[in-house]
């Protein structure tokens, strides 16, 4: 596998240098005003090397990131915390984030550029990997090396990535069959293990080089029917394993979902790795569950978990942990608190989303491609200062088109605007700004013969429908998408402007819905696809988020 320094033919994803994670952005303030179509978006200067000085320190608030960051696995090395998460069918994948306070997180890289090169991950021959790709990961530090592992039904394998320097992102890959579901890496006495499974939780020993399951090694069920401590009528069996050794005892953390109930954290403990284990419910509040335990240098304990929050996705919460009679007790009197006794300038999603002027030789880490990109058909250099997307093939619809560039939406409200040059479109081409999920919506330019139209398309139902159309008589257009996640409204509107100042709504509101076929929160997407003939192209001048989101990054690194 090539270094994370270079992704594809013309892009280098570089980790952020030591830029302060204290950012002057309180995205979760209830007073954020983006209801009007003409609200300002971040200007060019907001995306460069400055980080504004924010307000006074306040108590951290939950959710700590109001954006899709599910299946979290967290570790601490010295005074620095690292977290891995799930982005499934996105490329590059398996994001790694970094924090110094457990609240403000920034992206430092991805464990892989390409999970697997096949028709499903390439959106070829009518196949796709929506909701698949790579799933829940396990992040560990052992004997001077960082390890992060995941599993994939798309590859049929378990993947383990290793690096001595997590900030540089030079990951080495090992992979083996089968794919071990929701596993947790565990090292002890020169041996390496994985705990995995759904319902029955298994312990298996691996070869030291991660080439496969060790012949003759431990391979057994250590906790049968691990969810039964939460009840007898279980909708989702125990999964999401995270295993720890704390003060000589072994603690296994899982998620389970009782029928007519909510996601629930269960914890089992044992004096020996192989058991016997005893278990209990550790948290049952607001459906916040699945994640891991983490201690601070001062000796405080927390659980970093996620909660399902509708169309924005599965979002992280930080829950205080106390210890009682050898058991971790999660929550404040059994509840997920709204505030935490951690003084911060809470950045919320600012460290994982980014406005972009496309004026650098690489894309910010916030960007991920929908499936594997075709690097022959996008460029930051063919027209400096622009992202060019060209069409190398004909596609039947938006969801099967290649080279859609995406990043997360975020709550409580988020909006993004673009300026698009459509002068080189060909008949049948469609290009613009989307909100990507199964029930997607977009505002775009569509060329039909010698005419161009601004259109709004909604896939709120089972069939995509055009709900708005306006003739376009110029080569450039401004487009905007706005999402409202307050109180789970999960609604979106789309707008266009001929001059970047006066904005007009187009089409109808989109009722966004989180679906399991995609298994991901809605994402902003920049796209261009052909429905009649290849060869057309469009140029994106910028992508600007509102409210303004400072883009943190360090100096450009040499190749």
């Amino acid at each position: 596998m090539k270094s994370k320094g270079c992704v594809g033919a013309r892009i280098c994803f570089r980790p952020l240098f030591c830029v302060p994670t204290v950012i002057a952005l309180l995205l979760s303030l209830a007073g954020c005003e983006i209801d009007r179509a003409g609200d300002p978006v971040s200007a060019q200067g907001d995306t460069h090397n400055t980080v504004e000085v924010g307000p006074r320190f306040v108590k951290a608030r939950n959710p700590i990131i109001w954006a899709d960051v599910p299946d979290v696995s967290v570790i601490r090395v010295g005074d620095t915390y690292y977290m891995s998460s799930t982005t499934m069918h996105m490329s590059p994948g398996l994001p790694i984030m970094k924090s110094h306070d457990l609240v403000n997180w920034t992206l430092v890289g991805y464990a892989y550029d390409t999970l697997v090169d096949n028709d499903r991950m390439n959106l070829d021959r009518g196949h796709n990997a929506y909701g698949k790709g790579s799933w829940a990961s396990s992040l560990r530090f052992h004997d001077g090396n960082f390890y992060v592992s995941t599993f994939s039904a798309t590859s049929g394998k378990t993947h383990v990535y290793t690096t001595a320097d997590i900030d540089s992102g030079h990951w080495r890959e090992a992979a083996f069959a089968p794919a071990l579901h929701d596993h947790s890496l565990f090292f002890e006495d020169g041996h390496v293990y994985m705990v995995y499974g759904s319902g029955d939780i298994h312990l298996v020993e691996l070869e030291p080089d991660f080439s496969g399951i060790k012949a003759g090694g431990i391979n057994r069920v250590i906790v049968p029917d691990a969810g039964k401590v939460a009840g007898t009528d279980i909708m989702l069996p125990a999964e999401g394993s995270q295993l720890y050794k704390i003060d000589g005892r072994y603690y296994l953390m899982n998620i389970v979902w009782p029928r007519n109930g909510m996601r629930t954290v269960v914890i089992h403990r044992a004096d020996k790795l192989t058991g016997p284990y005893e278990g209990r419910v550790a948290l049952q509040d607001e459906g916040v569950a699945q994640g891991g335990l983490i201690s601070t240098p001062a000796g405080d304990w927390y659980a970093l978990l996620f909660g399902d929050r509708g169309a924005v996705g599965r979002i992280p919460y930080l829950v205080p942990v106390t210890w009682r009679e050898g058991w971790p007790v999660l929550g404040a009197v059994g509840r997920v608190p709204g505030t935490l006794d951690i003084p911060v300038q809470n950045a919320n999603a600012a460290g994982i989303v980014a406005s972009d002027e496309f004026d650098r030789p690489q894309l910010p880490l916030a960007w991920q491609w929908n499936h594997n990109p075709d690097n022959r058909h996008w460029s930051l250099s063919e027209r400096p200062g622009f992202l060019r997307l060209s069409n190398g093939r004909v596609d039947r619809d938006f969801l099967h088109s290649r080279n859609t560039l995406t990043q997360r939406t975020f709550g409580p409200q988020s909006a993004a605007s673009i300026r698009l040059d459509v002068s080189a479109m060909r008949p049948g081409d469609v290009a613009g700004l989307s909100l990507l999920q199964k029930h997607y919506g977009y505002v775009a330019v569509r060329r039909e013969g010698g005419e161009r139209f601004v259109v709004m398309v909604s896939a709120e139902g089972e069939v995509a429908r055009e709900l708005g159309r306006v003739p376009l008589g110029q080569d450039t257009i401004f487009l905007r998408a706005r999402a409202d996640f307050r109180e789970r409204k999960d609604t979106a509107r789309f707008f266009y402007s001929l001059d970047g100042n006066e904005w007009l709504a187009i089409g109808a509101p989109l009722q966004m819905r989180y679906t399991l076929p995609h298994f991901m929160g809605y994402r902003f997407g920049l796209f261009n696809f052909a429905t009649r003939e290849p060869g057309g192209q469009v140029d994106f001048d910028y992508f600007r988020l509102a409210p303004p989101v400072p883009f943190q990054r360090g100096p450009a690194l040499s190749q």
Side-chain angles (χ1 to χ4, degrees), residues 158-388:
T158 299
H159 302 258
V160 183
Y161 304 91
T162 308
T163 184
D165 184 355
I166 196 170
D167 292 294
S168 75
H170 297 283
W171 295 92
R172 304 184 305 275
E173 181 187 11
F176 63 88
L180 301 182
H181 180 83
D182 276 17
H183 62 252
S184 178
L185 264 173
F186 189 78
F187 298 88
E188 186 171 60
D189 298 332
H191 297 269
V192 57
Y193 304 93
M194 276 187 174
V195 175
Y196 72 97
S198 176
D200 294 341
I201 305 301
H202 300 249
L203 173 70
V204 64
E205 187 174 356
L206 304 182
E207 295 288 352
D209 61 357
F210 305 105
S211 58
I213 296 173
K214 185 175 181 179
I218 294 175
N219 191 340
R220 67 177 71 171
V221 173
I222 55 172
V223 185
D225 193 11
K228 65 183 178 183
V229 294
T232 57
D233 191 7
I234 300 298
M235 179 177 72
L236 176 70
E239 59 179 20
S241 293
Q242 294 289 335
L243 180 66
Y244 307 91
K245 188 175 185 181
I246 303 170
D247 291 337
R249 270 195 175 129
Y250 301 87
Y251 293 87
L252 175 64
M253 205 166 175
N254 291 100
I255 181 178
V256 66
W257 198 330
R259 196 175 306 278
N260 300 317
M262 66 183 72
R263 289 187 187 268
T264 300
V265 179
V266 296
I267 292 180
H268 289 78
R269 72 177 188 183
D271 294 323
K272 294 175 58 179
L273 177 61
T274 53
Y277 283 81
E278 56 178 333
R280 59 172 58 177
V281 171
L283 181 68
Q284 193 173 59
D285 184 47
E286 298 187 22
V288 174
Q290 190 162 342
L293 297 169
I294 191 70
S295 66
T296 71
D300 298 320
W301 283 84
Y302 293 91
L304 187 58
L305 311 169
F306 76 77
D308 298 270
R309 292 300 178 264
V312 75
R314 298 178 289 167
I315 65 179
Y317 289 76
L318 192 62
V319 179
V321 174
T322 55
W323 289 84
R324 189 177 304 154
E325 298 177 351
W327 286 98
V329 179
L330 277 60
V333 197
R335 302 297 302 273
V336 176
T339 60
L340 299 152
D341 289 326
I342 302 175
V344 296
Q345 292 171 296
N346 194 356
N348 204 298
I352 62 171
V353 297
S355 294
D356 195 3
E357 300 296 315
F358 303 118
D359 57 357
R360 289 146 291 165
Q362 70 280 338
L363 291 168
L365 290 167
W367 290 114
Q368 290 175 280
W369 298 99
N370 178 21
H371 293 65
N372 294 338
D374 184 339
N375 292 310
R376 299 170 298 175
H377 295 292
W378 72 272
S379 174
L380 292 170
S381 60
E382 289 179 10
R383 184 181 178 185
F386 292 79
L387 167 69
R388 174 164 292 176

